[in-house]
Amino acid sequence: MQLRYDVPLTTTFRVSARARWYAEIREEAEIQEAIAFAKQRQIPWLVIGEGSNVLLTQNFPGIVLHLQMARITVESGSASVILTVEAGCHWHTVVAFAARRHLWGIENLAFIPGSAGAAPVQNIGAYGVELKDVVHRLRAYDTQTERFVVLDPAACQFGYRTSIFKEHPDRWIITAIALQLSPTPRPQLTYPDLAPLRAATHLTPGAIMETIGQIRRRKLPDPAQLPNAGSFFKNPIVDRTFWEQLRRRFPQLPGFPIAQNRVKIPAAWLIEFCGWKGKRRNGAGVSPHHALVLVNYGTSSGKAIAELAEHIQQSVFHTFGILLEPEVRIL
Ligand code: NAP
């Protein structure tokens, strides 16, 4: 492995933070080497993909692993096609690869920033599709047993923007994911933004991908221009009775019923109701276009963004009695 000392870290929030050690990983065996190095020195480890879902509030005192393996292989069966994707692959490259081959299943997840290895960690989701819907199996290094393992979807314990990897962030290092995609059309167009596509006569995964690209460019700030990490908070899921009580006090409160008498509330609505949309504080701010996206207006300090997030959490809690949980990992 190629090891460097005291390295500046790149994340889409573009705040300043350094790693004490930084390892470029080009093959699986180097993961074992890097973890052994950390265990020997009793320092923590951290895998950073494209840094699109992390907020660094201080220097990292251990070793950062950057996985660079990025091959995609295709196995065709009669009813489905398995795409095996190495962790370092850029996620949208995978979506575009599948769309070019007319394979269905991940087109709604187009243009989500980040690497393929990070996608299962928070079970990325958009427009009614979640990664868990297509995961066939995945390969990971178990830092506890010091072995490579293959996990099926049940073992990954996927939930709404979560998984076993998010619950135990230091245990497994995902090296590849196998996705089961369909050669026959399976459009998922239930979200209102995609309604105009419902009347189309000849839909392709590529057309859905492009439409989603246009919607996202309209709604979400481009991290290359205005540093951000996408949705900062998860949409809270509450009991139906609690949601009904709240709705009596706030008649406009939206809610989407999901399984087991639970209701998902759009966090963006709660944040906007509390007056945060477009607000700025100490170089950090809330996007004027999307209240769920915190943006860096020029601070080098991750702490300023974390403090803004805390203020938002406090005011949403004070108003609605709901504690917003960050989707972004804060370190
Ligand atoms: P939107 O369409 O304005 O909807 C607002 C919220 O309501 C969404 O968060 C969505 O929850 C929920 N929602 C809307 N229609 C729904 C339906 N038919 N059934 C169930 N829930 C529904 O959302 P948006 O902010 O423009 O985002 C569009 C999609 O892209 C969403 O799925 C969102 O999660 C995803 N996205 C993810 C990120 C990220 O960084 N993770 C960033 C931007 C957008 P869900 O979030 O559960 O879908």
Side-chain angles (χ1 to χ4, degrees), residues 125-127 160-161 190-193 216 219-220 230-231 235 256 264 266 290 327:
Y127 305 100
Y160 180 64
R161 303 289 189 273
T190 51
Y191 271 46
D193 273 350
R216 290 183 70 102
K219 281 192 169 179
L220 296 166
S231 305
N235 292 319
F256 296 93
K264 181 179 66 185
H290 201 312
E327 184 176 301

